[in-house]
Amino acid sequence: MLSNLGNILLFGSTFVTLSIIYFAYQNLKEKNIIIRKNIVYLSFFQITLIIASFLLLIFAFIFSDFSLLAVYQNSHTAKPVFYKIAGVWGNHEGSLLLWVNIMVIFSFLFFLFNYKFNKSFSLYTLLVQNILILGFLMFLISNSNPFFKILPVPLEGLGLNPILQDPALAIHPPLLYLGFVGSSIYFSAAMAAILSNSNGKNFASSIRIWVLISWSFQSLGIIVGSIWAYYELGWGGFWFWDPVENASLIPWFCMTALAHSVLVLEKRGYLYNWVLILSIITFISSVTGTFLVRSGILNSVHTFANDPARGMYILVFLSLMIFFSFVIFFKRKINDDFYLELISKETFILSNNWFMMFYLATVFIGTIYPIFTQVLYDTKISVGPPFYNSVIAPIIIPFLIMMAIGPKISWIKQKYNDFKSLVLILILSCIINFLIFFFFKSYNLLSNLIIISSLFLIIHSLKDFIINSKTKSYYNLPSFLSHTGFGILMLFIMLNHNFSKEYDLNIKVGETKKINNIEINFKDLKIEKRENYNVVIGNFNILDSKKNYQKNLNPEIRIYNNPQTLTFESAIKTNLQQDLYLTMSNIDGSDFYNVKFQIKPFMLWIWFAAFLTASGGLLRTFLKK
Amino acid sequence: MKNKFIIIFLCIFSIELSAAEINNLESKIFKNLRCIVCQGQSIAESNSDFAQTIKIVVRDKIDQGDNEKEIYKFLAEKYGEWIIYKPKFNYINSLLWFSPYIVLVFGGLLILKYLRRKKN
Amino acid sequence: MKISFLKIISISLVVFALIVFFLALNIDKRYSTEKIVGKNVDNFEIIFLNNDAVFKKQDLTNDKYHLINIWASWCLPCRKEHPILMRLKKENNLIIVGINFKDKKLNANDFLRELGNPYDFSLSDKDGTKSILFGVYGIPESILIDKKHKIINKFIGPLNVKDYEDILQLVNEK
């Protein structure tokens, strides 16, 4: 019953999508300048149908309708309602429906904002976007239908992987999807701009807000995912350069570059070609990332159930998309002739793009290189954190410096005569670095330089902001927040990296171990029964004789039944200074427990700085000039 | 002029200090080894039996006086290059190491091209 | 001229990447340590299961093949492959070396008493470090070594009837 209704909604959406494509095409051929009303109605109809199908799936999950395969495989009656809902996008089929929903919503809103101004541009955008939507709808219906029925109807579901039953992970996919699926709209807009011979400035101002929105959500999604990895995966790290993380980072680099260069196009009319390229590759890289993750050709922490047919479909779709976007792009008739002054905002923004493309290239090549060696040389290699750190870290330094100076430079041309304050700030940064160095611990040259340049960025932005605030122009606030936030982020990541301490020991109940000035006491062990799992709780007491504090930490080992899984929950005590992080795991066939105790300074600041960076984008979205 | 000297002094000072860098070979090696029975964890992060064993082997090797390279070579011989997170520089991997910098140089040249146009 | 050069490069790179992706879809992505096949056995010194004597690489004879089998009493698949090992025991051309992996001596001996002892040499690797020499990452695993002490085959997981036949064929070659 539910399955039939769902299928009707999906087929209805497909039909409406087809009609939009047809009418948009017909309307484009007509000479008048007004968009036919029926296209607006159809768009409205489309968004209603697709959202209804999504709500229906949520409904099926909430009420545990196991006649749907997707619900049966990913839900369980004993699950809390919140996780039942999160289960909707915790699997391939549901997440694909969410994907299509976001494409439709963005398409609808973009159309609504633009259809009155420029007929052919809006219609072409709608046309291209709906062709993309059609592609994904067909994928959804033919291969990954969330409304697929099973007979006979099972009484109980298989349950959701417990590692996914977590508030951060519940909101992580929707945030990320708003980011990289949202980028489809400026892909379509870029195609439309070429096809309709739009003016560069108009194109820039129509996509700017969508770039900002997708950038902000992409950033938030990455941060939330990272927080989840930090406390749930139990390794104490927050970024692992895992292929799936990389797949979300690659579009983020594109969006960051685009969010900057679109300003140049809007303001000065330059870089039209470049902005088009960025708009196109953002969505292409999103789909490529999806392909890499869903096809299972990469080893990764996060795995969806793999199905080669799925990978094949996405790959064919991706190839077609690349092919047609190339054809259209090479056919463009855009005269993009300009020159830049060395010291001008344009040049600094271009240098941002330059670094972004470098990071993008590094991460992209690092992610796909193992596939290449395997196919071409039959050699399996790993490209892990040490590679990315050693390639990317040195290039962070000039990037931070440019990021500090850039915002203050004016458009077109400026005679730069502010060297004095630059030097002062640099000295100040060096001194602070030296103080950190002197009072805490030594670290290597690279760390030194990154810390100096991040301090430079922070102080420089603060100075600029204070000077600006005298003139009461708050338009710079978003970029100030993002830039300063990024500086703080880098600073604390480096401090955290250098000052983290880690203790790895095997310990029995009742034992006390002392390492340097830290005493770890394993007091006792409790076993409890909770709503949908059993749990073993360890009780640890940490005593730091030097810093004079005592903390109780209670890590858990959870035993889930549906499906049967063990998860290790870390115990974290957070304050402004540092996180105490402890995980325990049982060692088979012995009374000992393996305990990892970590002292991780400034974790809270890292999250704060990351959110600060993302908040700049959100603020800019809503701020009027 | 004075300022410049101070900067140079401070920078050199920082470099001098960095020579005192703590060399924690063991944990560096652990972090660079993949726990091949786990899902995307390094030996340093993993609790698995396999990781514990590799840790003992690496410690023994360090005690025997083997250097980092020799340890990687030994493990790569037994488990393939896959166990090492930082791919070594060789013919097959050369593009992995070079191409990011090729992009960097190429991008820089492209920007320069637009800067120079003015002189024409 | 220059732009068409860029065009060609970018198109060929993209096409190349897509082709590799297509090929990668159909490749077996499972991990294997079979890269070790073809290499010579490293020097090793492993103590016996039931006494403190040491078995060295030099103790491998030059006139017979060796099958090194890594097992433990707590490992269920090892139980499954045991009959195969018992059948291989009858092979004159093959010496079977058992390495007991991270096990208790008592349990190991109980296991052998219950199911029979196929091993010409029973060795013990209490902390699992010796097995690293043979590229072991999960047991049971078996390594077949020829007369020149070169590793000629590696079996991951329990030996099955097909493996048995392969071993027979390899051992009785020439």
Side-chain angles (χ1 to χ4, degrees):
Chain A
M1 172 43 203
L2 212 77
S3 161
N4 292 339
L5 186 55
N7 278 318
I8 290 168
L9 288 173
L10 286 185
F11 279 108
S13 313
T14 315
F15 180 71
V16 175
T17 308
L18 276 169
S19 351
I20 292 176
I21 294 170
Y22 174 76
F23 285 116
Y25 182 69
Q26 290 299 324
N27 201 182
L28 272 168
K29 287 201 295 192
E30 289 161 15
K31 283 275 185 295
N32 58 349
I33 49 157
I34 305 158
I35 288 173
R36 277 207 246 148
K37 267 281 177 264
N38 67 348
I39 293 176
V40 185
Y41 296 145
L42 277 172
S43 295
F44 187 72
F45 202 41
Q46 181 190 34
I47 191 171
T48 316
L49 283 175
I50 205 77
I51 289 180
S53 71
F54 191 61
L55 290 177
L56 187 71
L57 190 62
I58 293 180
F59 181 81
F61 268 83
I62 293 177
F63 293 99
S64 300
D65 184 342
F66 295 124
S67 66
L68 299 187
L69 186 64
V71 181
Y72 164 68
Q73 281 176 340
N74 301 291
S75 196
H76 191 275
T77 46
K79 233 169 39 166
V81 176
F82 180 68
Y83 295 120
K84 282 182 183 165
I85 298 174
V88 176
W89 49 78
N91 62 85
H92 169 76
E93 288 81 6
S95 64
L96 203 63
L97 186 58
L98 176 64
W99 175 299
V100 176
N101 262 272
I102 290 170
M103 284 183 84
V104 171
I105 293 169
F106 271 62
S107 164
F108 180 73
L109 292 177
F110 187 86
F111 189 59
L112 215 59
F113 273 102
N114 290 292
Y115 81 103
K116 282 177 187 146
F117 306 121
N118 186 337
K119 178 194 160 191
S120 70
F121 172 64
S122 309
L123 278 178
Y124 269 120
T125 311
L126 194 70
L127 186 69
V128 176
Q129 181 78 357
N130 273 284
I131 291 171
L132 297 178
I133 293 171
L134 186 66
F136 282 96
L137 267 174
M138 277 161 56
F139 180 33
L140 191 75
I141 290 171
S142 64
N143 169 287
S144 321
N145 194 336
F147 296 107
F148 197 78
K149 232 185 323 200
I150 31 169
L151 279 172
V153 177
L155 291 173
E156 192 49 275
L158 298 176
L160 176 72
N161 185 350
I163 210 169
L164 305 179
Q165 293 184 27
D166 180 277
L169 207 64
I171 58 165
H172 166 70
L175 287 175
L176 216 50
Y177 278 31
L178 280 172
F180 69 73
V181 181
S183 72
S184 63
I185 196 65
Y186 39 91
F187 173 87
S188 305
M191 293 287 110
I194 297 167
L195 291 168
S196 65
N197 276 322
S198 287
N199 169 291
K201 288 189 176 183
N202 291 344
F203 168 65
S205 35
S206 70
I207 66 163
R208 197 179 59 94
I209 189 168
W210 303 98
V211 175
L212 283 168
I213 290 174
S214 59
W215 180 87
S216 308
F217 282 110
Q218 184 82 5
S219 313
L220 287 175
I222 291 173
I223 299 166
V224 170
S226 175
I227 293 177
W228 170 76
Y230 172 68
Y231 68 71
E232 184 68 31
L233 294 182
W235 317 330
F238 50 90
W239 193 261
F240 304 99
W241 298 105
D242 177 88
V244 174
E245 293 175 326
N246 291 350
S248 67
L249 201 57
I250 292 168
W252 186 86
F253 288 137
C254 293
M255 289 173 196
T256 313
L258 189 55
H260 286 87
S261 53
V262 79
L263 294 175
V264 179
L265 181 59
E266 193 182 17
K267 201 92 178 180
R268 307 272 298 128
Y270 295 163
L271 303 181
Y272 196 4
N273 282 330
W274 177 236
V275 170
L276 288 172
I277 292 174
L278 279 176
S279 309
I280 293 166
I281 62 168
T282 309
F283 189 58
I284 287 180
S285 66
S286 305
V287 178
T288 310
T290 309
F291 162 72
L292 294 175
V293 175
R294 303 280 169 106
S295 65
I297 66 174
L298 292 168
N299 296 77
S300 161
V301 198
H302 321 243
T303 35
F304 283 90
N306 298 321
D307 173 359
R310 232 170 247 176
M312 192 49 98
Y313 189 99
I314 307 179
L315 191 53
V316 170
F317 183 82
L318 178 67
S319 310
L320 288 175
M321 205 170 85
I322 293 176
F323 175 75
F324 284 109
S325 53
F326 266 46
V327 169
I328 294 173
F329 182 74
F330 287 137
K331 279 193 160 172
R332 77 200 182 282
K333 297 184 212 91
I334 289 164
N335 190 13
D336 196 14
D337 211 16
F338 59 91
Y339 67 84
L340 301 171
E341 288 292 335
L342 176 63
I343 298 175
S344 65
K345 188 161 247 148
E346 295 90 318
T347 310
F348 275 85
I349 284 178
L350 258 187
S351 76
N352 155 291
N353 280 219
W354 178 34
F355 289 116
M356 282 300 148
M357 289 305 112
F358 167 73
Y359 302 140
L360 180 135
T362 311
V363 176
F364 183 65
I365 293 162
T367 310
I368 63 168
Y369 209 80
I371 304 173
F372 281 65
T373 60
Q374 177 142 35
V375 171
L376 302 175
Y377 299 101
D378 193 26
T379 320
K380 216 172 148 105
I381 64 159
S382 293
V383 180
F387 169 79
Y388 296 105
N389 294 341
S390 63
V391 175
I392 288 181
I395 311 297
I396 295 265
I397 301 160
F399 177 60
L400 289 169
I401 303 276
M402 298 290 236
M403 204 172 164
I405 302 169
K408 203 164 157 240
I409 306 290
S410 44
W411 295 98
I412 306 172
K413 190 175 183 175
Q414 179 173 350
K415 206 162 160 24
Y416 199 78
N417 47 17
D418 209 11
F419 285 108
K420 208 171 165 188
S421 68
L422 222 58
V423 166
L424 276 172
I425 293 169
L426 194 55
I427 290 175
L428 195 58
S429 313
C430 287
I431 292 172
I432 296 175
N433 176 54
F434 173 70
L435 288 177
I436 299 171
F437 206 93
F438 188 77
F439 284 109
F440 297 96
K441 199 185 90 180
S442 59
Y443 37 83
N444 63 19
L445 176 63
L446 189 59
S447 300
N448 260 303
L449 293 177
I450 295 179
I451 288 175
I452 291 175
S453 44
S454 54
L455 283 166
F456 180 79
L457 168 58
I458 297 167
I459 301 170
H460 201 291
S461 325
L462 278 172
K463 190 206 89 188
D464 286 352
F465 183 68
I466 291 165
I467 292 171
N468 267 337
S469 65
K470 280 178 193 152
T471 62
K472 300 236 160 99
S473 78
Y474 289 107
Y475 189 66
N476 285 321
L477 185 63
S479 84
F480 162 73
L481 287 180
S482 287
H483 284 214
T484 320
F486 191 76
I488 301 173
L489 181 67
M490 283 299 135
L491 174 66
F492 284 115
I493 285 178
M494 288 320 287
L495 292 180
N496 179 275
H497 172 78
N498 283 299
F499 298 137
S500 283
K501 282 190 202 118
E502 197 179 318
Y503 306 93
D504 189 338
L505 40 109
N506 295 336
I507 188 168
K508 264 196 276 200
V509 179
E511 258 190 322
T512 302
K513 291 230 167 140
K514 197 172 156 111
I515 308 162
N516 301 329
N517 48 328
I518 305 272
E519 223 172 75
I520 300 172
N521 176 12
F522 191 173
K523 274 162 57 184
D524 51 50
L525 210 58
K526 266 189 305 191
I527 297 173
E528 268 179 29
K529 201 171 157 45
R530 296 207 189 138
E531 196 177 354
N532 54 342
Y533 56 87
N534 292 323
V535 62
V536 181
I537 309 166
N539 189 5
F540 289 82
N541 194 44
I542 310 289
L543 185 74
D544 188 328
S545 51
K546 204 164 119 196
K547 285 185 187 147
N548 229 337
Y549 63 77
Q550 191 185 336
K551 284 272 158 61
N552 239 26
L553 287 163
N554 301 305
E556 297 176 0
I557 301 174
R558 290 186 186 166
I559 304 120
Y560 285 84
N561 285 322
N562 330 292
Q564 188 117 36
T565 334
L566 277 190
T567 68
F568 304 93
E569 303 290 317
S570 46
I572 306 174
K573 279 268 149 74
T574 304
N575 64 26
L576 285 179
Q577 252 179 16
Q578 62 190 19
D579 276 19
L580 301 180
Y581 189 107
L582 193 143
T583 44
M584 72 172 183
S585 57
N586 48 324
I587 299 175
D588 278 336
S590 92
D591 304 335
F592 283 95
Y593 283 78
N594 181 264
V595 167
K596 274 207 182 76
F597 174 63
Q598 301 179 62
I599 301 175
K600 306 197 70 76
F602 307 123
M603 286 309 297
L604 211 56
W605 291 91
I606 292 179
W607 308 132
F608 163 75
F611 278 116
L612 197 65
T613 312
S615 72
L618 280 178
L619 191 63
R620 175 72 92 212
T621 313
F622 298 112
L623 212 61
K624 289 248 157 63
K625 261 189 218 184
Chain B
M1 220 40 213
K2 226 190 216 167
N3 288 335
K4 269 189 190 157
F5 278 117
I6 296 176
I7 290 183
I8 291 166
F9 169 74
L10 279 169
C11 287
I12 289 175
F13 202 61
S14 297
I15 293 167
E16 278 298 311
L17 281 167
S18 73
E21 177 194 351
I22 291 175
N23 207 350
N24 201 342
L25 184 63
E26 199 181 281
S27 79
K28 188 183 166 203
I29 294 178
F30 291 165
K31 283 189 179 138
N32 194 16
L33 293 175
R34 180 193 282 273
C35 167
I36 56 174
V37 298
C38 318
Q39 286 261 318
Q41 276 172 303
S42 73
I43 292 292
E45 290 150 353
S46 170
N47 295 325
S48 69
D49 246 24
F50 178 77
Q52 305 288 0
T53 313
I54 293 285
K55 278 181 192 172
I56 301 174
V57 171
V58 170
R59 281 191 193 118
D60 286 353
K61 292 256 162 203
I62 293 176
D63 288 344
Q64 279 169 33
D66 283 15
N67 64 26
E68 210 181 328
K69 256 199 182 142
E70 285 166 335
I71 293 173
Y72 293 149
K73 192 174 163 242
F74 169 78
L75 287 170
E77 235 168 51
K78 307 300 176 219
Y79 293 96
E81 295 294 330
W82 200 55
I83 198 171
I84 296 160
Y85 265 136
K86 190 174 179 174
K88 68 171 183 223
F89 188 83
N90 59 18
Y91 166 67
I92 295 177
N93 299 338
S94 54
L95 266 181
L96 171 69
W97 285 100
F98 277 137
S99 44
Y101 296 107
I102 295 175
V103 171
L104 189 70
V105 171
F106 182 75
L109 290 177
L110 215 62
I111 295 179
L112 271 185
K113 197 183 122 197
Y114 284 106
L115 287 181
R116 285 211 181 125
R117 272 197 193 177
K118 192 206 161 192
K119 283 169 193 163
N120 301 341
Chain C
M1 188 59 208
K2 201 172 181 188
I3 287 171
S4 67
F5 175 68
L6 264 179
K7 241 189 225 181
I8 290 163
I9 287 205
S10 56
I11 291 173
S12 46
L13 275 179
V14 169
V15 169
F16 173 66
L18 287 173
I19 290 172
V20 170
F21 286 166
F22 270 112
L23 293 174
L25 272 179
N26 304 313
I27 252 182
D28 185 11
K29 262 88 58 182
R30 264 172 312 175
Y31 170 66
S32 73
T33 63
E34 278 148 16
K35 283 264 138 83
I36 203 171
V37 172
K39 295 193 174 118
N40 278 323
V41 178
D42 270 8
N43 286 327
F44 62 82
E45 287 182 7
I46 307 176
I47 60 160
F48 280 90
L49 178 62
N50 289 317
N51 59 52
D52 285 344
V54 174
F55 187 85
K56 297 187 186 129
K57 187 188 171 186
Q58 292 90 304
D59 297 329
L60 299 174
T61 55
N62 285 324
D63 54 350
K64 282 183 180 172
Y65 283 80
H66 288 80
L67 183 74
I68 298 184
N69 175 254
I70 292 116
W71 67 285
S73 65
W74 47 262
C75 135
L76 282 176
C78 297
R79 227 164 243 278
K80 211 177 120 197
E81 72 168 358
H82 212 79
I84 305 269
L85 288 169
M86 292 307 285
R87 270 161 77 184
L88 283 170
K89 186 186 163 78
K90 293 175 196 131
E91 214 41 50
N92 284 328
N93 221 355
L94 180 72
I95 293 175
I96 305 181
V97 181
I99 301 182
N100 184 241
F101 180 84
K102 290 190 179 176
D103 205 352
K104 291 196 174 108
K105 194 169 154 184
L106 201 71
N107 296 348
N109 281 317
D110 281 349
F111 182 92
L112 293 180
R113 215 167 297 131
E114 185 193 334
L115 297 170
N117 186 350
Y119 304 117
D120 299 293
F121 299 100
S122 253
L123 314 176
S124 164
D125 184 15
K126 256 204 130 55
D127 58 3
T129 53
K130 305 293 179 196
S131 310
I132 300 292
L133 287 171
F134 306 105
V136 170
Y137 69 98
I139 56 168
E141 286 187 26
S142 309
I143 291 114
L144 189 62
I145 299 170
D146 72 0
K147 291 172 185 172
K148 287 173 187 146
H149 303 161
K150 197 173 84 181
I151 298 173
I152 53 173
N153 209 341
K154 174 158 186 178
F155 307 93
I156 295 167
L159 295 168
N160 54 35
V161 180
K162 195 186 165 295
D163 295 334
Y164 171 75
E165 280 157 9
D166 287 350
I167 292 171
L168 281 196
Q169 205 176 6
L170 282 167
V171 169
N172 294 322
E173 255 172 18
K174 275 183 260 174

